[in-house]
Amino acid sequence: MNFGKVITAMVTPFDENGNVDTLALRDLINHLIANGSDAIVVSGTTGEAPTLSHEEKAALFKNTVQFTCGRIPVIAGTGTNSTHAAVELTLLAEQAGVDAVMLSTPYYNKPNQQGMYLHFKTVADATSLPVMLYNVPGRTGVHLNADTTAALASDVTNIKSIKDASGDLDHMTAVISLTPDDFTLYSGDDSLTLPSLSVGAEGIVSVSSHIIGTEMQAMIAAYNRGDAKYAAKLHRELVPVMEAMFSAPSPAPVKAALRMIDVKAGSVRLPMTPLTAEEEQLVFQVLQHKLIFIRCLIKQLKKQFLKVIN
């Protein structure tokens, strides 16, 4: 299933008291839509889902659907390490009117491949919504094998996509080779956006797109029209920004960066902590130097491209 090229794993805005900030959520969604997001994931890892209650998640699902108003798809993060709880969250998301759900591999209890297969099948069978799997071994301690992904894509009609944050291009290649043509793979690592496209990925589920969504779209568009040299040049300029967004545990850096561009998102909830003054200065310096250069580069190369086609 195609959700576009750049899907933003959206932060959850909090107010000064640590509560979900509904007004800031509306403004953030408008910012993301205006700046290159083809779809958004609400209540994923970047949205600090482990710190959100079921009630907060249900309200987030409902409000995000309301504020997007059909402009882009909404994918709800409903994965957890309890199959029963994942079913409950998925049904809440479906009732809220989301367009799809994303299910992470179960964390901490470390199931085997058969356990993960049955977990995903059970949740997917409970809903009519399209399902995006999420393989993120660095956070969950388990790796969803390519064969298991292929079996799920073949056996369960509404499992349509996967976000792969394994960081392993060989594994992504195997997943793409083994799954049906209408099954899509999205990279879960910003800095692998361009390399993953080269092996057949559909796009990226991104954190950095909060800040450089438009620029990431330009890079992907260049690659898809056959201008690999331009795409590679943009990739090299974007990587330092992407690295800055993960210079401390996420989503603290991207929330700081949003504040720097006047988009309200608040701070993070414990056990996450805000950036130190030194970490914040690093993020600021990268944004200050790179964003201006990248945007000038895009304008310059667009002019060159228009001259060629005319």
Side-chain angles (χ1 to χ4, degrees), residues 233-247:
K233 188 172 182 65
L234 282 175
H235 170 77
R236 291 192 295 272
E237 296 301 331
L238 290 171
V239 164
V241 180
M242 296 170 176
E243 290 176 340
M245 295 303 100
F246 294 93
S247 57

Side-chain angles (χ1 to χ4, degrees), residues 11-261:
V11 301
T12 300
F14 297 126
D15 63 22
E16 58 274 10
N17 296 316
N19 299 314
V20 176
D21 190 333
T22 304
L23 292 178
L25 175 69
R26 180 195 61 194
D27 294 341
L28 174 62
I29 289 168
N30 289 336
H31 161 77
L32 294 176
I33 292 173
N35 287 276
S37 295
D38 293 317
I40 52 178
V41 174
V42 56
S43 186
T45 308
T46 309
E48 300 177 72
T51 74
L52 299 170
S53 68
H54 269 40
E55 292 75 19
E56 287 176 319
K57 289 178 181 180
L60 271 171
F61 299 155
K62 181 180 178 181
N63 288 328
T64 301
V65 169
Q66 178 185 342
F67 295 151
T68 54
C69 199
R71 290 175 290 172
I72 58 173
V74 175
I75 304 167
T78 60
T80 182
N81 62 341
S82 161
T83 305
H84 178 74
V87 169
E88 286 186 337
L89 280 171
T90 298
L91 294 177
L92 283 174
E94 186 167 17
Q95 291 166 14
V98 304
D99 299 284
V101 294
M102 186 174 74
L103 304 174
S104 60
T105 47
Y107 51 87
Y108 189 72
N109 41 20
K110 299 181 72 172
N112 60 19
Q113 295 299 307
Q114 177 68 359
M116 284 188 280
Y117 174 92
L118 291 172
H119 170 82
F120 287 127
K121 185 177 188 304
T122 299
V123 182
D125 283 346
T127 181
S128 61
L129 291 173
V131 172
M132 174 184 279
L133 306 175
Y134 181 16
N135 183 36
V136 56
R139 287 187 178 272
T140 63
V142 288
H143 176 62
L144 186 66
N145 290 347
D147 289 343
T148 309
T149 304
L152 286 162
S154 173
D155 298 347
V156 188
T157 57
N158 58 330
I159 292 181
K160 297 293 189 180
S161 187
I162 186 168
K163 173 186 176 182
D164 190 275
S166 67
D168 185 344
L169 286 171
D170 289 344
H171 170 73
M172 293 185 208
T173 302
V175 170
I176 293 166
S177 298
L178 292 172
T179 51
D181 289 343
D182 61 351
F183 184 89
T184 53
L185 181 145
Y186 286 83
S187 172
D189 295 289
D190 283 334
S191 62
L192 290 183
T193 302
L194 186 58
S196 67
L197 292 175
S198 72
V199 300
E202 189 66 33
I204 176 72
V205 180
S206 173
V207 175
S208 304
S209 55
H210 283 87
I211 309 300
I212 51 171
T214 302
E215 291 78 10
M216 294 176 76
Q217 286 282 11
M219 177 180 67
I220 294 169
Y223 177 82
N224 286 338
R225 69 169 179 261
D227 194 346
K229 187 174 181 180
Y230 174 20
K233 188 172 182 65
L234 282 175
H235 170 77
R236 291 192 295 272
E237 296 301 331
L238 290 171
V239 164
V241 180
M242 296 170 176
E243 290 176 340
M245 295 303 100
F246 294 93
S247 57
S250 182
V254 73
K255 281 194 163 183
L258 284 166
R259 185 171 66 253
M260 292 171 194
I261 61 170

Side-chain angles (χ1 to χ4, degrees), residues 286-303:
V286 171
L287 294 189
Q288 187 178 40
H289 294 130
K290 281 293 177 183
L291 283 184
I292 294 172
F293 178 83
I294 295 165
R295 286 165 185 172
C296 288
L297 174 65
I298 290 173
K299 287 180 182 178
Q300 177 188 358
L301 292 174
K302 275 184 178 177
K303 287 179 182 177

